[in-house]
Amino acid sequence: MKIPRIVVAGTHSGVGKTTLATGLMAALKKRERPIQGYKVGPDYIDPSYHAAATGVASRNLDRWLLGEHLPSVFAQSSRERWAVIEGVMGLFDGMSGTAGFGSTADVAKLLQAPIVLIVDASSMSRSVAALVHGFNTFDPEVNLQGVILNRVKSLAQEKILREALSDLQIPVLGVLPKEGALHLPERHLGLVPVGERGLLEGFIDTLSELITKHVDLEQVESIMLSAPDLDEATFLAKKTSERSAPSSGTNPVSSAVRLPAHEKFCLGLALDEAFLFYYQDALDLAERLNFIIVPFSPLHDSALPKDLDGIFLGGGFPELHLNRLSENHNFLDSLRTYAASGKPIYAECGGYMYLGRSITDFEGREVTLAGLIPMKAEMTKRLQGIGYRRGVFCEDNFLGPRGTTVQGHEFHYSRVTYTQEFPAAYELFRGDNADRMEGYARDNIVASYLHLHFSGHQELLEHWFKSHFRGIEL
């Protein structure tokens, strides 16, 4: 496979990776390159900027969530495309508790992709050479092919930086001035998602023009085209045997099962400004498994679509739309009627909170919601949960039997309080240590703070599909 590709990495968080990666995607698209955006790690929001720049859904490359499936996810989505991969945190920073595992460098090596390093040079002069030298030599297997200097204050500073870097034989691909107008809006979960109306009006074009002016795109394209060819069969066979994540055990559900090809499963997907955190590759996988994705909006629709076989309520920002969600009484009634029918509902994070009795916002206002789970959610100013978790199903449910192990991620500024005893969905583990009981699993509802990437756990979708058509009692 010939896949022109490049990784946009940073020395640390906050150097401008998302802004520059998005601008690079937009500028290359204007040069009529078929750009496919990617994000290392579990982030939902940064990929929305990539999609705005390229016109196609961005993909996540997360070794913890995807495991051995990461190479095939990349191969399937990058066919006949040029891949621009935005890194996570600093180049060598991992998040799984295993040194370097899942870092930008780790994924770049896995995909044999050249790297461009973003340096925030706003307060630097000759020391930039020592910094870049260290990043270039720390891991001999890392293929660092260029540097982009960001937030440079003057032509005089640029001259000093270029002279300092001239002996390293690592090309300076671009020097961008300090531009306050290019600061992206943020709030408690990070950047504000593109899905909110009017957010990026004119921004992508401005960013594309800035990148075109200040970055050598010919040289960037040359680096992308220099990436080695990947033999599909050899690459996938080799890489699927190299997973080094902590072992999650063997799930009691086989991933090599035959689903009834003539059957379809209509999966309702909550999709609007309040619920928008989904992995595109997981939705694509569901469609390949004969799920029909039917979007609906708890904010704007008066009722659920008819004839749904299951519902997926993803994460997002219900706390920012509480009045409209609470006052959409007809929709809430249709959701309660659907739940009473016994059909399955799966919910993550924001969707989990929505299914509870109420959410209390940052100002202390409590707003009633679906009432399908005996708990209340409360927004907090402090982060309540972040990081990778391993979960084990406590009881049989429509996603899998008791003992099924999953690998997920949590990130939330809220906490929940149950008003009565409840059956938990998972026992969560942080590394090898038990962390807590998490979520809710009873009858036809499975809900928790844990975000899953179903492309890393195809067996869960298969079990959901089979349980429906075999009439398994939930």
Side-chain angles (χ1 to χ4, degrees), residues 7-17 39-41 86-95 100-108 115-119 131 135 138 142:
V7 172
V8 179
T11 56
H12 58 280
S13 294
V15 299
K17 289 191 303 293
K39 173 67 180 180
V40 177
E86 180 192 344
V88 60
M89 301 188 296
L91 175 58
F92 299 105
D93 299 329
M95 296 191 296
F101 179 84
S103 68
T104 303
D106 185 41
V107 172
I115 296 170
V116 171
L117 184 68
I118 308 299
V119 177
L131 179 70
F135 273 84
F138 181 76
V142 164

Side-chain angles (χ1 to χ4, degrees), residues 3-82:
I3 304 172
R5 58 198 183 276
I6 199 166
V7 172
V8 179
T11 56
H12 58 280
S13 294
V15 299
K17 289 191 303 293
T18 301
T19 302
L20 297 189
T22 300
L24 187 60
M25 293 177 200
L28 291 173
K29 184 189 177 187
K30 283 195 174 183
R31 291 165 66 93
E32 299 185 347
R33 308 308 182 205
I35 300 301
Q36 172 63 60
Y38 294 90
K39 173 67 180 180
V40 177
D43 190 285
Y44 289 103
I45 297 176
D46 292 358
S48 70
Y49 288 84
H50 304 169
T54 64
V56 296
S58 183
R59 316 283 175 151
N60 289 74
L61 300 173
D62 188 295
R63 291 201 73 185
W64 173 264
L65 297 180
L66 290 172
E68 65 213 39
H69 304 288
L70 188 152
S72 63
V73 165
F74 179 74
Q76 288 166 359
S77 56
S78 60
R79 295 178 191 277
E80 301 181 359
R81 312 291 296 181
W82 289 36

Side-chain angles (χ1 to χ4, degrees), residues 136-311:
N136 187 41
T137 58
F138 181 76
D139 183 345
E141 295 182 11
V142 164
N143 182 17
L144 183 59
Q145 287 290 305
V147 174
I148 295 177
L149 304 174
N150 194 23
R151 301 169 185 155
V152 175
K153 297 177 181 178
S154 67
L155 290 175
Q157 185 193 14
E158 177 181 343
K159 182 180 178 181
I160 295 171
L161 294 169
R162 285 186 179 275
E163 288 178 351
L165 291 166
S166 60
D167 292 337
L168 295 185
Q169 297 184 331
I170 300 172
V172 176
L173 304 177
V175 178
L176 283 91
K178 190 171 184 179
E179 283 278 354
L182 295 180
H183 179 72
L184 295 173
E186 300 184 20
R187 59 173 172 238
H188 58 284
L189 292 187
L191 295 178
V192 175
V194 170
E196 299 190 12
R197 295 182 178 91
L199 176 64
L200 287 190
E201 186 174 352
F203 180 85
I204 295 294
D205 287 338
T206 300
L207 190 53
S208 173
E209 292 168 5
L210 187 74
I211 293 294
T212 300
K213 180 180 179 181
H214 294 284
V215 175
D216 186 341
L217 294 177
E218 292 286 348
Q219 203 167 2
V220 169
E221 289 190 1
S222 178
I223 291 171
M224 296 180 74
L225 289 166
S226 73
D229 291 355
L230 300 174
D231 178 78
E232 185 169 8
T234 303
F235 175 70
L236 296 183
K238 176 183 178 182
K239 296 306 177 184
T240 53
S241 66
E242 289 183 352
R243 186 181 188 193
S244 58
S247 174
S248 60
T250 302
N251 283 340
V253 182
S254 170
S255 61
V257 298
R258 295 180 62 86
L259 300 179
H262 62 286
E263 300 287 4
K264 302 292 183 182
F265 185 110
C266 290
L267 179 64
L269 189 77
L271 191 60
D272 55 25
E273 303 95 309
F275 305 98
L276 67 166
F277 290 170
Y278 302 98
Y279 294 120
Q280 184 62 45
D281 288 297
L283 301 181
D284 292 347
L285 171 63
E287 290 183 333
R288 291 197 298 273
L289 294 174
N290 290 347
F291 285 78
I292 298 173
I293 306 297
V294 182
F296 65 86
S297 170
L299 274 174
H300 305 295
D301 294 347
S302 59
L304 279 169
K306 294 183 179 180
D307 302 322
L308 297 179
D309 299 311
I311 288 176

Side-chain angles (χ1 to χ4, degrees), residues 293-459:
I293 306 297
V294 182
F296 65 86
S297 170
L299 274 174
H300 305 295
D301 294 347
S302 59
L304 279 169
K306 294 183 179 180
D307 302 322
L308 297 179
D309 299 311
I311 288 176
F312 184 175
L313 286 154
F317 298 98
E319 65 272 17
L320 301 181
H321 305 275
L322 288 179
N323 287 342
R324 291 171 64 190
L325 290 170
S326 179
E327 292 168 3
N328 195 350
H329 301 295
N330 289 339
F331 182 87
L332 288 169
D333 286 342
S334 73
L335 180 61
R336 295 178 187 118
T337 299
Y338 180 91
S341 74
K343 292 182 179 180
I345 300 173
Y346 173 69
E348 294 179 347
C349 205
Y352 171 44
M353 296 161 60
Y354 176 72
L355 293 182
R357 292 178 176 173
S358 67
I359 296 178
T360 299
D361 67 14
F362 288 108
E363 285 71 46
R365 297 184 307 112
E366 183 177 4
V367 178
T368 59
L369 288 166
L372 297 179
I373 299 177
M375 64 85 172
K376 296 181 177 182
E378 175 188 7
M379 302 305 303
T380 64
K381 294 182 180 180
R382 296 182 61 181
L383 194 61
Q384 298 295 312
I386 183 172
Y388 292 114
R389 305 286 184 263
R390 182 163 49 90
V392 179
F393 282 143
C394 297
E395 301 293 342
D396 295 349
N397 62 71
F398 56 83
L399 292 178
R402 179 178 181 176
T404 296
T405 298
V406 299
Q407 295 189 170
H409 180 265
E410 65 172 336
F411 182 36
H412 52 95
Y413 278 81
S414 64
R415 58 185 174 223
V416 298
T417 303
Y418 276 79
T419 57
Q420 63 188 66
E421 291 188 10
F422 65 96
Y426 305 103
E427 182 178 11
L428 285 192
F429 292 82
R430 185 182 305 187
D432 293 329
N433 300 316
D435 186 25
R436 68 181 192 272
M437 305 303 286
E438 165 59 25
Y440 177 89
R442 184 176 182 180
D443 300 326
N444 56 321
I445 296 176
V446 175
S448 78
Y449 273 122
L450 198 66
H451 292 282
L452 302 180
H453 195 320
F454 287 102
S455 289
H457 286 293
Q458 178 174 328
E459 71 275 9

